Amino acid sequence: MAETAHHEHLEAQFCEKHPNVETNLRCNRCGRLMCSRCAVRTPTGYRCDDCVKGQQKIFDTATPPDFIFGSLTAGFLGFIGGLVIPNLWFILVFIGGPLAGVVIAEAVRRVVSRRRSKRLFQAVTAAAALGGLLPALGSTGILLLLTGMGNLGQVLGTLGFSLVWQLVYVVLCASSAYYRLSGIRL
């Protein structure tokens, strides 16, 4: 009976970001009240978004030259892969695309001395995709110049499957590079 009386006198506590949500959950780092929507599960318990973001910033070590050199490396290797891999037998595109992404990721890691940042990984992925698309854009442009700008439909029809395989390569390569760099485990 004493316990019941004790609990009746406790005031309701509310999430700091959602003041209409009652909670007793606290961040294990800063002690801030948070609801289940705000809580981020970590290996050491639940933390608030702000503490998780602050912790992640510690691991962002990329410098401005890393963006330049990493993107140039990814773009160049993506371009080389885009010249070769989509022209292989179609089954090999499904093997070569992800393999090219792994090669790009490892080359970029070496170039940037294993420094890391989510934005760096995004920039490198975009560069690899753009590099992989350049061969298709080049052949489309050349055919358009040769046949005239009014023949876009005919040019796309002529290139047809080669454009499809180029896109398959780009998607597989870029996604593999990103996953490899960011450490996402499938």
Side-chain angles (χ1 to χ4, degrees):
M1 176 125 167
E3 275 185 45
T4 321
H6 176 67
H7 287 296
E8 289 175 11
H9 294 295
L10 291 177
E11 285 188 36
Q13 299 178 355
F14 297 92
C15 173
E16 290 192 21
K17 291 197 178 183
H18 303 100
N20 58 339
V21 178
E22 191 172 338
T23 186
N24 286 322
L25 184 61
R26 291 187 177 271
C27 173
N28 73 350
R29 184 170 184 162
C30 69
R32 182 179 300 153
L33 282 165
M34 60 187 174
C35 65
S36 60
R37 286 185 291 171
C38 296
V40 178
R41 186 176 181 188
T42 69
T44 59
Y46 289 97
R47 293 204 174 156
C48 65
D49 288 339
D50 296 333
C51 286
V52 170
K53 287 176 187 169
Q55 189 68 28
Q56 286 174 339
K57 286 181 183 177
I58 294 170
F59 298 107
D60 286 350
T61 57
T63 62
D66 293 337
F67 286 85
I68 295 166
F69 295 122
S71 295
L72 287 173
T73 301
F76 176 73
L77 293 175
F79 176 75
I80 299 299
L83 283 174
V84 176
I85 293 172
N87 297 315
L88 299 174
W89 194 50
F90 76 95
I91 284 293
L92 295 179
V93 173
F94 290 103
I95 297 168
L99 185 61
V102 169
V103 168
I104 289 169
E106 293 307 314
V108 167
R109 274 196 188 146
R110 290 177 193 267
V111 167
V112 301
S113 301
R114 297 194 179 276
R115 287 184 289 273
R116 44 184 292 121
S117 159
K118 184 176 182 179
R119 293 196 190 276
L120 173 64
F121 302 156
Q122 292 167 343
V124 164
T125 302
L130 181 60
L133 282 176
L134 284 177
L137 295 176
S139 50
T140 304
I142 290 169
L143 275 175
L144 280 174
L145 286 174
L146 293 174
T147 62
M149 293 301 281
N151 295 328
L152 179 60
Q154 183 182 2
V155 167
L156 292 176
T158 302
L159 293 174
F161 279 114
S162 66
L163 289 177
V164 170
W165 291 118
Q166 198 78 36
L167 290 174
V168 168
Y169 160 74
V170 166
V171 168
L172 293 173
C173 173
S175 60
S176 293
Y178 183 77
Y179 290 135
R180 182 75 174 210
L181 286 168
S182 64
I184 296 172
R185 301 287 180 241
L186 296 177

